[in-house]
Amino acid sequence: MGADRPAGRDLPLVRTPGACPLDCPDGCSWTVTVQDGVAVRLEGRRDHPFTHGTLCVKVNQYLEHTAAPDRLHHPLRRVGPKGAGRFERISWDQALDELAQRLDEIRSTWGGEAIWPYWGTGSLGHLQGMRGPAGQRLWNVLGASEHQMTICSVAGTEGVTFATGTKQGIDPESLAHARLILLWGVNTLTTGHHLWRFIKEAQQHGAHVVAIDPVLSRTAKQADEHCAPIPGTDGALALGLLHVVLDLGLEDRDYLADHTVGWPEFRRRILEFPPARAAAVTGVPERQIVELGERLARTRPTAIRAGMGMQRHAGGGAALRLLACLPGVTGDWRYLGGGLSYSTGGSFGGDLAALRRDDLRRAPVRALAMTRLAEGLLERADPPVRCLFVYGANPAASAPNQAGVLRGLAREDLFTVVVDQFPTDTVDYADLVLPTTMQTEHLDLHTGYGHLYLGWNEPAVAPPGECLPATEIFRRLARRMGLTEPCLFDSDEELARQLLAGGHPSLVGITVERLRAEGWVRLDHPADQVLFQDGFPTPSGRLEFVSAAAEAAGLDRVAGYTPAREVADPGLARRFPLVLVSAASHYFMNTIFANRPGLAKRAGPPSVAVHPEDAARRGLVDGQRARVFNDRGSFAAVVEISDAVRPGVAATTKGHWSKLTGGAGVNATVAERDADLGRGAVYQDNRVDIEAADTARTTQREEG
């Protein structure tokens, strides 16, 4: 339920409401107990309807993390080579003077677009993190390049939007009413475990739970059925299941006639994928496709919970588009507990435009995709990137094409500023390091992307050393640069009020005062809401199997299957026979917590799971150190021989810091290339091979 730190016995206790800032759909509400100015206990809010008082194995150690000995407390200036991580302590005045001077010089010589503000999902806060994002007003005034958040969910979001007109999905709590639950490409017990309570409730009422995942994950082990497609073939599986529905004549013809557009064309597309073809593409046995298709045809309501990992390939957006279309064929969008849950982000009607203030830009600016960092640093010349300002991100460990990213970060003519709490791999390449607050030390407002609640985060303790909130760093920088736009100096509470003041129906009755008093508040959506019962927010007002917007974007107007690029390449498969899945770790949050000794010990060193057949072909043995490689790069991992992966698939986890493991990470093998929609990442569209470390050393000696 929570975590304790030692405290005195007689001093009064103060309990402060807060919310977890991390990149998780659950967005936990918590309470921080403070004694004599020290946070001594962190516990989940038992009264929260979704998170229900429990924190995850990672966040249970959050208070210890805030007091870790490697926490950054003071501004730093680089004194050694880039990448060496050698710094000297400087004052905030020195740091701000140098930063303001360098930004002014870059703007006057190269223009504002030579500045790339690069943020990530280190915090999902609307004030301090990426939801705002923090600092956007300043970047708009400076005319900096626009940062595109392409690393996480964008391909799937755009695919879903082509079909439904919004990224808003069904309330995850409604899964308790489902009688068939398809957990599609999501390891719920690791990446958002609070949903499991609602899934178990559904099971108690007879629901059948299917985990569709190339890996036998923690969640798949607890499901009633595991279906293991080849990575990147989910769209073909969806079409194969729908073919069975049509064979049985159990499509919801009334719903199709009244609430969808493009059914004749989509029906023809489905008929191109009989179970035999779907089995050949996906590797799922034809019998399992038929049996699951029959269950889908006859079970109402059916809920689909889709994860972010399944859309990180060359056909990821198309796959999510199909999953949004599937409940239109079965009619499940009409039922409480039926439909698709990918994100609840569209449920929140906060005034994001008021936070961003894009009207402060004097002219349009170019957009730079965060998944193309190496390209942006090494190839862009219109103008070249001369300042990289990183916050809430660790791209040296998390971005694709790790070798290219590190070459870009090593540029001597690149002025790199990193705002962080710990000395990450990326910090080692910084010219200036600015220490920032953690969640118990600043004000913020949060929404989960897996539930319908707002969470208020009140600062519980004073920051250590000279750490500052991100918002305060940007206020001080604007002042040091002599900028006069009044909104650059709005307080955190003023920002929160502006966010809530837009008058959106989801925010009726929700104020700063109420949030501060209650800690969390449900958005004004009824618990028994059936999404889209009054129509879809598409141009036609219906679920669109055929999309003019998709056609205008140069895509297939009819929802369908787009293969993953490397997975479906037979020539590449001969050279690199294994498809590598890099999933979330149970003990890290992306790269956060990888420096926590206890969690790192539980996670173990980087490992790679291979099927016994694939291990035997390569002479690999369990526990052996091996090299995982392709033409882009390689990383070292300990072999785990397991039938949790299917033949032809290998699995590892993301999040390790190279400086702590002594070598490259999994992203050394990942291509810097776009998915089909939104310039999304392709982490799961990655072919590799594996060889024993001794073999790798011999090969390298021979080549040398």
Side-chain angles (χ1 to χ4, degrees), residues 635-697:
F635 67 98
V638 176
V639 173
E640 293 182 3
I641 299 175
S642 171
D643 57 7
V645 292
R646 54 175 299 131
V649 173
T652 188
T653 55
K654 62 184 181 180
H656 289 279
W657 296 8
S658 293
K659 67 192 294 181
L660 299 180
T661 60
V666 60
N667 291 326
T669 66
V670 176
E672 191 176 64
R673 143 172 85 71
D674 295 343
D676 53 341
L677 294 175
R679 307 196 72 187
V682 293
Y683 291 105
Q684 318 301 359
D685 196 354
N686 184 22
R687 282 200 168 274
V688 300
D689 205 350
I690 304 174
E691 62 184 3
D694 290 342
T695 303
R697 285 196 296 270

Side-chain angles (χ1 to χ4, degrees), residues 322-500:
L322 277 172
L323 293 195
C325 291
L326 190 154
V329 179
T330 58
D332 280 294
W333 281 121
R334 72 162 81 232
Y335 301 108
L336 178 64
L340 172 66
S341 171
Y342 178 59
S343 170
T344 58
S347 304
F348 174 61
D351 194 349
L352 301 179
L355 282 190
R356 290 181 56 91
R357 290 297 305 273
D358 288 344
D359 59 296
L360 296 174
R361 289 180 182 148
R362 295 183 179 180
V365 297
R366 69 178 176 185
L368 298 174
M370 69 185 303
T371 44
R372 293 284 194 138
L373 179 57
E375 176 188 86
L377 295 181
L378 297 173
E379 300 178 24
R380 296 300 292 262
D382 54 346
V385 176
R386 290 289 177 165
C387 174
L388 185 72
F389 195 108
V390 180
Y391 52 113
N394 184 13
S398 60
N401 184 13
Q402 186 179 45
V405 169
L406 297 184
R407 286 197 303 273
L409 291 174
R411 276 176 42 199
E412 283 298 331
D413 63 345
L414 177 69
F415 179 58
T416 301
V417 182
V418 179
V419 178
D420 214 310
Q421 301 148 353
F422 293 95
T424 65
D425 288 345
T426 305
V427 164
D428 285 351
Y429 287 84
D431 295 287
L432 286 179
V433 181
L434 306 180
T436 193
T437 47
M438 295 181 71
Q439 191 71 354
T440 52
E441 303 153 6
H442 57 224
L443 185 71
D444 214 337
L445 192 154
H446 288 265
T447 52
Y449 57 90
H451 62 58
L452 298 180
Y453 299 87
L454 287 180
W456 182 260
N457 190 80
E458 189 77 12
V461 295
E466 298 180 280
C467 296
L468 294 176
T471 46
E472 181 61 19
I473 292 173
F474 290 119
R475 283 190 286 264
R476 292 191 186 190
L477 177 56
R479 189 171 292 110
R480 193 60 56 99
M481 295 184 74
L483 302 176
T484 58
E485 166 56 47
C487 74
L488 297 178
F489 308 102
D490 286 348
S491 70
D492 292 352
E493 185 169 316
E494 287 173 326
L495 293 173
R497 292 185 185 281
Q498 292 162 17
L499 178 65
L500 299 177

